[in-house]
Amino acid sequence: DQQVKQNSPSLSVQEGRISILNCDYTNSMFDYFLWYKKYPAEGPTFLISISSIKDKNEDGRFTVFLNKSAKHLSLHIVPSQPGDSAVYFCAATYNFGNEKLTFGTGTRLTIIP
Amino acid sequence: GAGVSQSPSNKVTEKGKDVELRCDPISGHTALYWYRQRLGQGLEFLIYFQGNSAPDKSGLPSDRFSAERTGESVSTLTIQRTQQEDSAVYLCASSLPSKHYEQYFGPGTRLTVT
C-alpha cells in the first residue's frame, strides 16, 4: 500500500528553467511533508518541508506547495542548475508521536546544460 | 561536524548467513532510524529509537531482523539467515529531539545476498 506516490520516475529540464516535481498521498492523517534530495552513493539530504497548516513554503530557489484537498504537493526549483540533478524523494509524517517518515519512490531529475 | 556514518559500505553475503550493520549517529541526536531501499523502491521504515524509550519496531519485515542501540550512540541492525529479498541499501538516520522531522542520513550499507 503506497501511501506516498511519485508517479514520474524521471524528469529532464533545461538549465535555467523551472523544475516541478509532484507527489500525491493517500493518508489524510499526514500533517507534515518533506522533500529529500539524493545523490548517487550518498544518503538523502533534507531539502525543504511544509506543515499542513500552510500551503506554501519557500527557501531560496526551492518552493513547496501543498494542496490538502487534493492530497498533492509539489516542489518547484527555479532556476534549475546542473547541481540539482539528483533523485528527489517526497516524504510524509504525522504529528502524534510517531516520527517515522513514509517515502515516495523518488523522481530522478536531470538538468540539461 | 561529523555526519552519520555507517559500516560497512558494501556487504556481500551468502544466503543463510547472518549480517550485522553498524550506524554511528550525529552526536547529540537522540533519535535514530533505520530504513531500507530495495531496487526501484522508496525508502521503507524499519525501526526507530528515541532515547531510553522502547523502540518502534513496527517496520521490521520479519523476526530475522533485529536492532539494538547503546544509549544514545551506536546502533546495530542484525539480519539472521539472510535471504535474497534482503538485498537492499540499508540507511540509518538520526535527528535532534526538537526536530524529528528533519532526519540526517548516512551513506548507507549496500547488502547483496547471493
Side-chain angles (χ1 to χ4, degrees):
Chain A
D1 176 26
Q2 193 72 24
Q3 296 187 66
V4 178
K5 302 177 184 179
Q6 293 177 257
N7 293 319
S8 297
S10 63
L11 176 68
S12 294
V13 175
Q14 205 75 33
E15 182 179 358
R17 306 293 287 268
I18 184 170
S19 296
I20 300 176
L21 296 96
N22 293 302
C23 177
D24 297 290
Y25 61 97
T26 57
N27 188 340
S28 58
M29 299 297 289
F30 286 142
D31 60 4
Y32 201 84
F33 304 89
L34 307 94
W35 286 92
Y36 279 79
K37 175 178 177 179
K38 185 180 184 301
Y39 292 119
E42 295 183 10
T45 55
F46 169 75
L47 190 57
I48 193 169
S49 63
I50 188 167
S51 164
S52 61
I53 62 173
K54 295 184 176 182
D55 55 18
K56 176 182 174 182
N57 188 26
E58 191 172 350
D59 183 3
R61 295 186 298 113
F62 302 91
T63 303
V64 56
F65 294 93
L66 175 63
N67 182 334
K68 289 187 291 294
S69 61
K71 295 192 181 70
H72 177 84
L73 64 156
S74 61
L75 174 68
H76 292 210
I77 307 172
V78 55
S80 301
Q81 299 175 353
D84 297 330
S85 294
V87 177
Y88 288 79
F89 290 97
C90 171
T93 188
Y94 28 70
N95 189 19
F96 48 82
N98 186 333
E99 286 80 10
K100 74 179 186 183
L101 298 176
T102 301
F103 284 86
T105 52
T107 296
R108 181 177 300 279
L109 176 65
T110 302
I111 305 302
I112 304 164
Chain B
V4 176
S5 61
Q6 292 186 244
S7 61
S9 54
N10 281 284
K11 176 73 177 177
V12 180
T13 190
E14 291 180 353
K15 177 181 171 181
K17 295 283 178 69
D18 297 352
V19 295
E20 193 172 277
L21 313 179
R22 177 187 170 107
C23 171
D24 283 273
I26 294 171
S27 177
H29 283 196
T30 58
L32 186 147
Y33 314 77
W34 283 97
Y35 295 86
R36 75 175 175 183
Q37 185 182 16
R38 290 190 277 192
L39 192 63
Q41 305 292 315
L43 280 71
E44 176 189 3
F45 167 78
L46 297 177
I47 188 168
Y48 159 60
F49 295 90
Q50 171 54 54
N52 295 319
S53 302
D56 176 356
K57 304 180 181 180
S58 61
L60 294 178
S62 78
D63 59 7
R64 296 186 295 105
F65 287 72
S66 63
E68 293 183 349
R69 187 180 186 191
T70 309
E72 294 183 350
S73 60
V74 172
S75 175
T76 55
L77 176 70
T78 301
I79 309 173
Q80 296 178 309
R81 305 181 303 282
T82 51
Q83 304 294 313
Q84 287 184 330
E85 62 263 28
D86 299 334
S87 295
V89 176
Y90 288 81
L91 291 153
C92 175
S94 68
S95 68
L96 287 167
S98 57
K99 284 194 169 184
H100 283 146
Y101 307 131
E102 296 177 15
Q103 298 176 15
Y104 293 78
F105 284 82
T109 293
R110 181 176 296 279
L111 175 66
T112 304
V113 182
T114 60

